Amino acid sequence: MCTTGMWHLLGEGLMVPELVRTWVSGWAVSRHTPRPAERSWGLYVEVGRPDQVGRHVLPDAHELAVREAASSVTVPHTWLKVPMDPEEVGRWLPAGWVVDKGETGHLMATDLRATAPRAPEGYTASVETRDGVTYVQVRDAAGELAAKGQMALLGKATVIDSVTTERAHRRRGLGAFVMRALADHAVTEGAALGVLGATDEGRALYETLDWKVYAPLAACIYRP
């Protein structure tokens, strides 16, 4: 995966296929899976979970690629991620495949900038990097985990992943703080482009932080 020259494209008509490749490469680093393998239709990641054996990711969303990738699958609980409307993808899937709207998300990106965020009152934050992944954790006064997020740096780009806030601590600005803290660290490390895959709930938060949606991320699962 090449990120050279890509981070300045947000203002020049961003290329979704390159964003998708950045996202899946960073996702694999963040989740400690094997490196994505090239296929004729895109990329394949060995995930190794009972509910997700692996995932095919198609940077270029078109009918032939979807049909070829789906037809190559024989193992149940293999996923297919496509940057296009899930209803349209569903028309091209062979028998045994379903479009899981609950898992469908949004491909988002932004030009990163430093904001020097401070943890909300009553909370403390830590930043730690291990095995190529940077983790931000926010804890309350009792030391209990309140919010967290992580990211994988890929040269001039970073992929943000797994941003969550515990239910008892929601609506206190912790999610926004985690996002800003990750962005600040990425900028310090020389990154200029941020990429992520968002849920509907996450999208609402990220849009307030100047992230933009560049494509839907249809989630299709083989359940014969």
Side-chain angles (χ1 to χ4, degrees):
M1 195 283 299
C2 178
T3 59
T4 303
M6 180 178 59
W7 54 89
H8 57 77
L9 293 176
L10 287 176
E12 302 177 6
L14 191 63
M15 300 184 339
V16 168
E18 290 297 331
L19 264 188
V20 172
R21 285 182 170 273
T22 299
W23 170 63
V24 69
S25 295
W27 188 91
V29 173
S30 177
R31 303 296 178 99
H32 301 291
T33 71
R35 187 174 181 175
E38 290 283 348
R39 296 289 186 266
S40 61
W41 50 80
L43 298 162
Y44 176 73
V45 181
E46 190 72 36
V47 180
R49 295 190 340 225
D51 63 334
Q52 186 176 171
V53 175
R55 60 167 56 185
H56 294 274
V57 183
L58 277 56
D60 295 293
H62 56 81
E63 182 177 358
L64 180 59
V66 171
R67 290 189 183 277
E68 286 186 347
S71 297
S72 75
V73 173
T74 59
V75 179
H77 303 296
T78 298
W79 287 37
L80 182 64
K81 284 279 195 171
V82 188
M84 66 184 305
D85 181 83
E87 296 292 342
E88 189 171 1
V89 176
R91 295 198 295 268
W92 300 335
L93 295 172
W97 283 88
V98 298
V99 177
D100 192 325
K101 293 185 178 180
E103 295 290 346
T104 291
H106 313 276
L107 181 67
M108 304 187 73
T110 193
D111 291 314
L112 296 172
R113 58 190 178 89
T115 58
R118 292 185 178 183
E121 186 176 354
Y123 295 92
T124 57
S126 64
V127 181
E128 180 182 9
T129 300
R130 304 189 307 272
D131 299 324
V133 182
T134 297
Y135 302 88
V136 169
Q137 293 190 342
V138 182
R139 297 184 179 276
D140 64 14
E144 296 295 322
L145 184 66
K148 64 179 181 177
Q150 61 197 60
M151 69 179 181
L153 283 165
L154 304 170
K156 292 291 185 177
T158 192
V159 176
I160 293 180
D161 185 33
S162 300
V163 176
T164 58
T165 301
E166 297 299 320
R167 186 173 299 277
H169 299 275
R170 292 178 182 173
R171 301 189 182 281
R172 301 182 188 183
L174 297 184
F177 168 79
V178 169
M179 290 291 293
R180 291 191 175 108
L182 288 167
D184 266 43
H185 185 80
V187 170
T188 298
E189 295 296 320
L193 171 69
V195 184
L196 58 78
T199 62
D200 289 341
E201 184 179 8
R203 171 184 175 173
L205 166 63
Y206 307 145
E207 286 182 328
T208 68
L209 301 174
D210 296 327
W211 288 71
K212 294 180 174 58
V213 175
Y214 286 89
L217 280 175
C220 313
I221 306 174
Y222 185 53
R223 294 174 180 160

